[in-house]
Amino acid sequence: MVRAGLTTERLVRAGAELADEVGFDQVTVSALARRFDVKVASLYSHLKSSQDLKTRIALLALEELADRAADALAGRAGKDALLAFANVYRDYAREHPGRYAAAQFRLDPRTAAASAGGRHAQMTRAILRGYDLTEPDQTHAVRLLGSVFHGYVSLETAGGFSHSSPDSQESWTRILDALDALLRAWPTP
């Protein structure tokens, strides 16, 4: 019998909270069962496995992040859009470290195609239209932005910038200014 009040959505949200608390790698169906003080078997009517749970948390994180980015980008263009987009990623990673890690989780191609990941790519490309980039430069720029945002956020959240001056916010601002300048002067082959 299914325990009253347990739904797939509730379990996924609790799994996302658990990921933020203990790290995405530590999230399992067993850990979630302990959180609800139920037997692991009682969760299998909602979740197939720990892999299924992690996939669902990844999908939730991608959706949350895409929604935040869309809200932040509304009415913005050029550098303002770039800054808003970058800050959404950084803020989300700081507020929800486990969910941010989940957003990087490798999904199978069909699941990835149906996820909010496509929205992220569309928004990035929309920002780049303000810089007048064409293919294949636009794809190179999408990869550059993703690499810089993810690299910086990963190092910062791991404490990599907490041991020295200047403050990481100052570096972040300078990096975004440099990205804007680079995108405006993008070299053509």
Side-chain angles (χ1 to χ4, degrees):
M1 177 169 200
V2 176
R3 185 174 173 111
L6 291 183
T7 64
T8 303
E9 182 181 346
R10 184 170 179 217
L11 292 170
V12 171
R13 291 207 172 275
E17 291 170 10
L18 183 62
D20 287 339
E21 293 167 15
V22 301
F24 182 64
D25 290 341
Q26 301 303 312
V27 174
T28 62
V29 174
S30 297
L32 196 55
R34 285 190 298 275
R35 187 178 197 100
F36 283 97
D37 195 26
V38 298
K39 292 185 186 296
V40 173
S42 66
L43 300 187
Y44 285 119
S45 60
H46 302 287
L47 302 165
K48 295 176 191 169
S49 62
S50 290
Q51 177 78 13
D52 179 41
L53 174 60
K54 286 185 173 188
T55 297
R56 290 172 185 269
I57 294 168
L59 294 172
L60 172 67
L62 287 168
E63 190 72 34
E64 288 176 344
L65 199 45
D67 289 346
R68 284 187 181 195
D71 288 346
L73 288 174
R76 291 189 162 102
K79 185 177 181 181
D80 288 340
L82 175 68
L83 297 178
F85 193 68
N87 286 323
V88 162
Y89 277 83
R90 184 176 181 222
D91 292 346
Y92 188 80
R94 293 160 115 188
E95 293 168 28
H96 300 290
R99 292 179 208 207
Y100 180 78
Q104 314 309 313
F105 188 63
R106 186 179 199 106
L107 301 172
D108 67 75
R110 190 169 58 182
T111 303
S115 77
R119 288 176 58 204
H120 293 268
Q122 290 170 345
M123 286 184 277
T124 306
R125 288 182 185 280
I127 290 166
L128 292 173
R129 281 195 294 274
Y131 293 97
D132 201 29
L133 297 178
T134 58
E135 286 300 342
D137 291 331
Q138 195 176 84
T139 297
H140 297 313
V142 167
R143 292 173 180 167
L144 170 70
L145 294 178
S147 298
V148 171
F149 299 162
H150 179 66
Y152 192 89
V153 164
S154 296
L155 290 169
E156 183 180 42
T157 57
F161 305 135
S162 62
H163 61 279
S164 62
S165 294
D167 181 69
S168 65
Q169 178 60 43
E170 184 178 337
S171 296
W172 179 249
T173 300
R174 305 257 331 245
I175 288 166
L176 295 179
D177 288 343
L179 282 174
D180 175 63
L182 172 64
L183 292 169
R184 288 183 192 288
W186 191 270
T188 55

